[in-house]
């Protein structure tokens, strides 16, 4: 790694915030679309695996990190309190919850805020570091998802418009978001796939253990 890049990464900690939105891993309440094919127990195991992966790619990221729980803040779970600040999502839909989290981050004085979910296997610490560095020179950073949404969103100041009038969970989210910010400097990252359906894992080697176990049950 070049010296200039090392210096840039060291600067990330003080002014950059990573928001991680997560669902509480409870049987029958997570990865329900995946569970329709492999069952509730296997879906929970897949989601727990994805949570562990998200921890592995974020725990050493040189930024401040906040985990936002969907239902209830848990102690002594995947997220080490020494590394992650724990919060609860507030709002009646995903857009409001994300808006509130971004708003709080900027109110705390962070200059750049990025949000991700906790179900991306195709994501690395390097990807996140690069996203924060890209945000230094762009107004927005967006990671397009194959399903028409996005797996990462970063901004330098709160724009409530990107969280309004969206059909969350549909193929129109990315398109509508880009329309909201079409006159801004945008960095589009590589398109990635999140894990929602059986088709998202059936050809990935690391997930075969869950599928094989399911077939043998």
């Amino acid at each position: 790694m070049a010296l200039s890049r090392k210096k840039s990464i060291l600067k990330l900690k003080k002014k950059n915030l990573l928001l991680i939105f997560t669902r509480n891993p409870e049987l029958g309440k997570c990865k329900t679309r995946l569970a329709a094919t492999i069952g509730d127990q296997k879906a929970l195991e897949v989601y727990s695996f994805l949570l562990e992966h998200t921890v592995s790619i974020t725990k050493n990221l040189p930024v401040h990190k906040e985990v936002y729980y969907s239902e209830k803040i848990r102690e002594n779970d995947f997220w080490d309190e020494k590394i992650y600040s724990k919060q609860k999502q507030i709002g009646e839909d995903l857009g409001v919850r994300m808006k509130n989290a971004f708003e709080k981050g900027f109110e705390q004085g962070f200059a750049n805020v990025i949000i991700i979910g906790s179900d991306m296997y195709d994501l690395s610490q390097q990807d996140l570091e690069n996203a924060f560095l890209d945000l230094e020179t762009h107004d927005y950073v967006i990671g397009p998802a194959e399903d028409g949404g996005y797996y990462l969103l970063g901004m330098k100041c709160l724009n409530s418009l990107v969280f309004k009038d969206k059909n969350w969970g549909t193929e129109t989210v990315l398109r509508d978001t880009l329309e909201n910010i079409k006159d801004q400097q945008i960095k589009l990252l590589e398109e990635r796939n999140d894990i929602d359906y059986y088709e998202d894992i059936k050809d990935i080697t690391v997930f075969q253990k869950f599928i094989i176990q399911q077939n043998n049950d």
Side-chain angles (χ1 to χ4, degrees):
M1 182 184 295
L3 181 59
S4 59
R5 177 173 173 77
K6 286 183 178 180
K7 290 181 178 179
S8 296
I9 291 176
L10 288 175
K11 293 179 182 178
L12 295 180
K13 180 71 176 179
K14 293 183 178 180
K15 64 177 183 177
N16 292 275
L17 170 63
L18 178 68
L19 306 172
I20 304 169
F21 264 40
T22 184
R23 287 186 176 276
N24 292 78
E26 299 177 1
L27 186 66
K29 295 184 178 181
C30 57
K31 291 297 163 197
T32 54
R33 289 174 290 187
L34 177 62
T37 303
I38 67 173
D40 289 340
Q41 181 58 44
K42 298 307 178 194
L44 176 59
E45 292 175 12
V46 169
Y47 189 55
S48 296
F49 174 79
L50 291 170
L51 289 177
E52 291 175 347
H53 173 72
T54 306
V55 170
S56 73
I57 66 172
T58 59
K59 63 181 180 180
N60 296 318
L61 191 69
V63 303
H64 186 73
K65 296 172 279 283
E66 294 184 350
V67 176
Y68 273 80
Y69 290 76
S70 61
E71 301 295 335
K72 183 179 179 181
I73 296 174
R74 300 288 186 184
E75 297 179 356
N76 303 315
D77 61 356
F78 294 97
W79 310 99
D80 186 343
E81 287 87 350
K82 297 178 182 178
I83 300 174
Y84 303 92
S85 172
K86 297 186 175 185
Q87 312 288 337
K88 184 179 180 301
Q89 298 174 29
I90 299 175
E92 63 272 18
D93 67 19
L94 178 59
V96 176
R97 295 195 293 270
M98 289 195 294
K99 190 269 291 184
N100 288 337
F102 269 92
E103 185 172 43
K104 182 176 180 181
F106 287 121
E107 286 176 350
Q108 292 178 92
F110 290 100
N112 303 309
V113 182
I114 286 177
I115 191 170
I116 61 170
S118 52
D119 56 0
M120 284 291 300
Y121 181 70
D122 190 18
L123 196 63
S124 69
Q125 178 177 328
Q126 186 73 67
D127 293 327
L128 296 174
E129 289 179 0
N130 289 340
F132 274 106
L133 292 176
D134 287 331
L135 199 50
E136 292 289 315
T137 55
H138 296 80
D139 300 313
Y140 298 88
V141 175
I142 299 181
E146 292 180 5
D147 62 5
Y150 52 77
Y151 62 85
L152 180 152
L153 172 66
M155 62 180 72
K156 304 172 81 71
C157 61
L158 181 64
N159 180 355
S160 298
L161 193 60
V162 302
F163 303 115
K164 295 179 179 179
D165 302 320
K166 304 292 187 299
N167 293 317
W168 301 105
T170 72
E171 71 280 0
T172 64
V173 172
L174 176 64
R175 182 194 68 196
D176 293 343
T177 301
L178 291 175
E179 178 65 23
N180 292 149
I181 57 176
K182 60 184 178 181
D183 297 324
Q184 306 297 312
Q185 288 186 308
I186 306 167
K187 172 67 176 183
L188 280 179
L189 306 179
E190 182 180 346
E191 185 177 77
R192 300 289 173 86
N193 186 38
D194 54 8
I195 305 297
D196 285 319
Y197 296 95
Y198 173 75
E199 288 72 21
D200 298 326
I201 68 171
K202 66 182 181 66
D203 297 322
I204 303 177
T205 301
V206 73
F207 291 106
Q208 295 306 303
K209 57 185 177 182
F210 303 108
I211 298 172
I212 293 172
Q213 287 175 3
Q214 169 66 14
N215 292 337
N216 290 338
D217 287 347

